[in-house]
Amino acid sequence: MKNLVILGGGYGGLNILQNLIEDNLPEDLHITVIDRNPYHSVKTEFYTIAAGTSADKDVRMDFPEHDKVSYVYAEIERIDIENRQILFQERSEPVSYDYLVIALGCEDNYHGVEGAAEYTESVQTFDRARHTGVAIGNLAAYGKATIVGAGLSGIEVAAEIRESRPDLNIRLLDRGQSVLKAFDKKIQNYVEDWFMKNDVEVIHGANVEYVEKDGVCNNGICYVNDVTIWTAGVRPNYLARELPLEKDDQEKIIVNDFYQVPEQPHIYVVGDCASSEHSPSAQLARQQGEQIADVLSAILKGKEPKKPGKLKLKGTLGSLGSSEGFGEMMSQSVVGYIPRLAKSGVLWLNKRH
C-alpha cells in the first residue's frame, strides 16, 4: 500500500484531495491529510474574524470523508525528507510517505522589524485571527488600532474594523505612495476616497522602525497604540523554508513543470510554498491543486502525466465592508457594489463545492 501525505488542508491541499477522490483512487493507495485544525479554513475571510463581523463557523468547512483518506490533526515538528517521514511536536508516532504534497501556506514576514513578531496581531492563521478579533472587540471606545501594510489584506482588515467598530481610531501605514500598488489608479483612488469618507487615517511613505507593546514607531514618530495588526507581507511556512531544497529569492521551493521538486520528484509543492511567476492567492493555489491532482492521478495509475497547461487567473476581488468593494473582472477594473456582490458569490460557490 502506497501512502500519499498532504501537508495542509488549505486551498491547494484540499483541491488536490477533492480532485483525486473524484477521479477514483487506486486500490493500492491511501491518503493521509495532516493539518493543525480538524476543518478547512476559508482564509480569504479571516479579516472578518479579526473584525468580529463573522462567526467562526462561517469560515470553517468540513473535510471530505472517504474510506481511503485519514486525517491527522497535529502540529508538525519537522519534515524528514531523507527518511520520508513527518515528525510531530506532541505525537510520538511519525507518519511515513511514498508521495508528499507540501501545501503549508504562508506566515507573516516581519522583515526584521524589531518587536513586530512579539507585539503585533495577525490574520495569517485561524488561531491568530481569533486572537486579533478578541483584541479588537475588547478595545474601549475611542481605542486606537493601527494596521501595518496597505495591500489587499490590510485594506480589507482596516475597512472591516471600521464597519464593525465605528468608535475606534484607525490608522493604516502604507509603505508606498498609494494603497494597493498592485492595482490600477482607478481602484487606488476609489479605496483612498473610501478611507477618507470613513475616517480611516492613511499614512503613506511609512517605514516602521520598531514596534512596542503600546505603540508603533514610524519614520522617527512613535504613535501610541492599543492594537497593532501586521499585514505587511508574507513568506512561506517555516517548515518549507527549513528544507534542504533549492529555493528562489522569496524562499519558495523551486519546482518543475509538474510541480515536482526536481531532485526529489515524489515531492510536490503547491501554493505559497511553490516558486511561481504569480503572486500568492487562494485562486492560484486552487488552480495549481487541480493540475497537481491530474499529474498525481496519472502517476499513481502508472501512466505518463500530461504537462499542465498555463494557468489562467481570473482577477482579484476585495471588500470594503459589507456593501462596497473593488477588483478586476474580465480584465476590467470595477468598484462599488458589483465587485462586493461578486466576491460574496465566489465565496458561496466555493463553500458549496
Side-chain angles (χ1 to χ4, degrees):
M1 181 71 72
K2 296 176 182 177
N3 194 29
L4 164 64
V5 171
I6 300 176
L7 301 182
Y11 297 108
L14 182 61
N15 246 22
I16 292 171
L17 177 64
Q18 288 176 320
N19 281 272
L20 286 175
I21 290 174
E22 292 170 4
D23 199 32
N24 297 321
L25 299 176
E27 288 298 321
D28 63 342
L29 177 71
H30 184 80
I31 299 177
T32 303
V33 178
I34 300 173
D35 196 280
R36 61 163 60 99
N37 295 318
Y39 46 78
H40 167 70
S41 304
V42 186
K43 187 175 181 180
T44 56
E45 300 302 299
F46 281 2
Y47 70 94
T48 63
I49 298 296
T53 55
S54 290
D56 287 5
K57 65 180 180 61
D58 296 330
V59 296
R60 290 198 307 252
M61 294 168 54
D62 293 333
F63 286 125
E65 295 182 3
H66 194 278
D67 57 4
K68 288 186 173 295
V69 179
S70 61
Y71 295 90
V72 174
Y73 305 122
E75 287 285 350
I76 299 170
E77 174 71 29
R78 183 166 62 89
I79 305 169
D80 183 356
I81 60 175
E82 183 176 346
N83 297 304
R84 297 195 181 190
Q85 289 185 332
I86 308 302
L87 308 177
F88 300 93
Q89 293 181 9
E90 298 180 357
R91 173 187 161 112
S92 58
E93 190 69 25
V95 171
S96 299
Y97 63 84
D98 298 289
Y99 300 93
L100 178 67
V101 173
I102 298 173
L104 291 166
C106 61
E107 58 191 42
D108 288 301
N109 187 349
Y110 297 109
H111 308 287
V113 174
E114 182 182 350
E118 294 83 1
Y119 299 122
T120 65
E121 302 290 346
S122 172
V123 292
Q124 285 305 317
T125 67
F126 208 153
D127 181 61
R128 297 202 67 188
R130 277 199 203 100
H131 195 276
T132 303
V134 171
I136 291 294
N138 284 341
L139 286 180
Y142 312 115
K144 299 178 177 66
T146 295
I147 295 92
V148 180
L152 180 59
S153 292
I155 294 301
E156 291 191 312
V157 167
E160 198 76 8
I161 291 175
R162 167 50 75 225
E163 184 163 288
S164 172
R165 293 291 307 269
D167 57 298
L168 296 182
N169 295 292
I170 303 173
R171 177 183 295 116
L172 183 65
L173 298 182
D174 174 26
R175 189 176 183 86
Q177 296 307 310
S178 177
V179 299
L180 295 171
K181 65 179 181 180
F183 291 78
D184 73 12
K185 204 66 179 173
K186 175 182 177 180
I187 290 176
Q188 292 173 358
N189 291 339
Y190 182 84
V191 173
E192 293 263 10
D193 187 56
W194 190 95
F195 282 136
M196 186 177 297
K197 289 178 180 176
N198 288 276
D199 196 25
V200 175
E201 181 184 11
V202 180
I203 297 177
H204 295 297
N207 179 30
V208 175
E209 294 151 313
Y210 59 94
V211 182
E212 297 180 332
K213 183 179 179 181
D214 300 314
V216 179
C217 293
N218 171 61
N219 285 327
I221 300 173
C222 291
Y223 301 103
V224 176
N225 200 46
D226 296 306
V227 175
T228 304
I229 304 173
W230 192 270
T231 63
V234 295
R235 64 198 302 202
N237 184 282
Y238 75 95
L239 291 165
R241 300 200 313 269
E242 288 177 350
L243 292 174
L245 302 172
E246 188 178 0
K247 302 178 183 69
D248 63 16
D249 58 2
Q250 295 180 322
E251 304 178 283
K252 299 178 182 181
I253 299 171
I254 292 175
V255 294
N256 61 20
D257 291 336
F258 298 90
Y259 301 99
Q260 300 165 322
V261 175
E263 58 265 41
Q264 301 208 39
H266 61 282
I267 299 178
Y268 297 78
V269 191
V270 62
D272 301 335
C273 295
S275 181
S276 172
E277 63 180 313
H278 302 287
S279 299
S281 69
Q283 182 183 176
L284 175 64
R286 287 193 190 101
Q287 290 195 22
Q288 289 177 335
E290 291 176 6
Q291 294 188 336
I292 291 174
D294 290 340
V295 171
L296 268 169
S297 183
I299 289 176
L300 293 169
K301 294 175 182 178
K303 300 177 182 178
E304 187 73 23
K306 294 181 180 178
K307 182 178 176 180
K310 188 175 179 61
L311 295 171
K312 297 180 180 179
L313 302 182
K314 299 177 182 179
T316 304
L317 296 169
S319 69
L320 294 169
S322 59
S323 59
E324 293 187 63
F326 56 90
E328 297 164 345
M329 300 169 62
M330 295 179 289
S331 301
Q332 297 292 319
S333 294
V334 288
V335 295
Y337 180 66
I338 296 300
R340 185 65 185 91
L341 183 65
K343 184 179 180 185
S344 297
V346 169
L347 177 63
W348 182 86
L349 285 172
N350 287 333
K351 285 185 175 182
R352 185 176 177 83
H353 176 68

